[in-house]
Amino acid sequence: MSAGLPLFHLYGDPPDDQAFDFMHVETIASRSSLHDWLIRAHRHRNLFQILVVERGGGEMTFEASIRPFEAPCAIIVAPNVAHGFRFDANVTDGYVISFSEDVASVLGQKSGDTISRLKALAAEPIFTLNPARGSRLETLCEDLHQEMLLARDNYRLAMRALLALIAIEVGRQSASRARTGAVTLAPADTTVDTLQRLVEDNFRKERQIGFYASALAMTADRLNDHVKRAAGVTAGHLIRQRVLTEAKRELVFTGRPIHEIAYELGFADPSHFARFFRKQTGMSPQDFRAQQLA
């Protein structure tokens, strides 16, 4: 984990790697107002989040970029993504819905490609809600919040049903983005998902396609062909992008010397890391850090 990028269960709470069947909903104001409306960059290991912003706006830290947003909008955050928020103080509100990946998997089984849409949306996490349909989403979020607070008989079943409806509604409202080409709602692919989990666990030590192909009982060529058909990029690209994402996190969210970052990411020496970074971004690690911190 990056030394400067905290890992939380919910913001401010210690990580819970054993979390299972976890669902939680709270208002944006209830937590952010306690932190001067600033949620510093962090990540969650196994939680999806959906933010429904009903009023106000602000800026989102999304990996190494800053994205402005304003109501009405929804924001989708996938597990392990670096994110944070600076909300417009005292005017921003809405709901933050958090749920563990096992709950997300059940939603996918029960509602077609809903979870695939959420994952696709998370690549470009902010999208404007249709005001004509926004009230329906707000009502579903309010009902979910009440179910959790009142904890009546069968409330967890009711919460799961409402969460499925919220995910479906978000997916429906994203359809116009898909038609304009802003996001591709391709069905999830089991091999790609498994590869991404393997990469997440091993990218600091293993960047060779052969390692991942062997773990998946495939040849390197077959793995590359499969990933290219399913995801539109090669397996090598996925591996390099994960290394690059971590490099950017380290450069932006920590003050560690660049040579330490290079060795932490498994590069033989800092010059090798610098060549890799420049090839992927067009600039040196030093220039990228300076640009982001300017």
Side-chain angles (χ1 to χ4, degrees), residues 90-109:
N90 302 312
V91 296
T92 304
D93 210 358
Y95 292 94
V96 183
I97 304 164
S98 306
F99 49 100
S100 53
E101 289 192 77
D102 56 282
V103 175
S105 297
V106 171
L107 292 182
Q109 293 168 10

Side-chain angles (χ1 to χ4, degrees), residues 108-121:
Q109 293 168 10
K110 299 299 184 184
S111 50
D113 64 351
T114 297
I115 198 60
S116 302
R117 294 186 175 202
L118 292 179
K119 287 182 177 180
L121 279 171

Side-chain angles (χ1 to χ4, degrees), residues 1 24 77 85 89 119 138-139 143 180-181 184 214 266 269 279 290:
M1 182 183 70
H24 180 84
V77 182
F85 300 95
K119 287 182 177 180
E138 292 174 17
T139 298
D143 289 347
T180 61
T184 301
S214 177
D269 56 66
K279 183 175 181 180

Side-chain angles (χ1 to χ4, degrees), residues 1 5-17 19 22 24 26 31 39-51 60-61 63 75-85 87 96-101 200 242 249:
M1 182 183 70
L5 187 61
L7 177 68
F8 294 126
H9 182 50
L10 296 177
Y11 187 75
D13 298 339
D16 181 4
D17 292 341
F22 178 81
H24 180 84
E26 63 187 27
R31 191 174 300 254
I39 303 298
R40 297 187 182 278
H42 64 285
R43 64 187 178 97
H44 311 282
R45 182 170 288 140
N46 60 349
L47 291 184
F48 279 90
Q49 289 188 314
I50 300 175
L51 284 76
M60 176 188 189
T61 299
E63 293 295 352
I75 302 173
I76 314 299
V77 182
N80 279 307
V81 169
H83 65 286
F85 300 95
F87 296 106
V96 183
I97 304 164
S98 306
F99 49 100
S100 53
E101 289 192 77
E200 187 64 37
R242 183 62 187 91
R249 289 178 179 177

Side-chain angles (χ1 to χ4, degrees), residues 183-229:
V183 63
T184 301
L185 304 183
D189 181 89
T190 302
T191 298
V192 175
D193 285 349
T194 304
L195 172 62
Q196 289 176 324
R197 287 194 294 271
L198 284 168
V199 171
E200 187 64 37
D201 291 340
N202 297 282
F203 72 90
R204 286 181 172 84
K205 299 176 294 183
E206 299 287 351
R207 288 199 293 277
Q208 298 300 315
I209 296 173
F211 169 84
Y212 297 99
S214 177
L216 291 165
M218 304 171 74
T219 66
D221 287 345
R222 185 179 167 207
L223 176 59
N224 252 337
D225 289 345
H226 182 98
V227 175
K228 188 69 179 291
R229 288 196 303 272

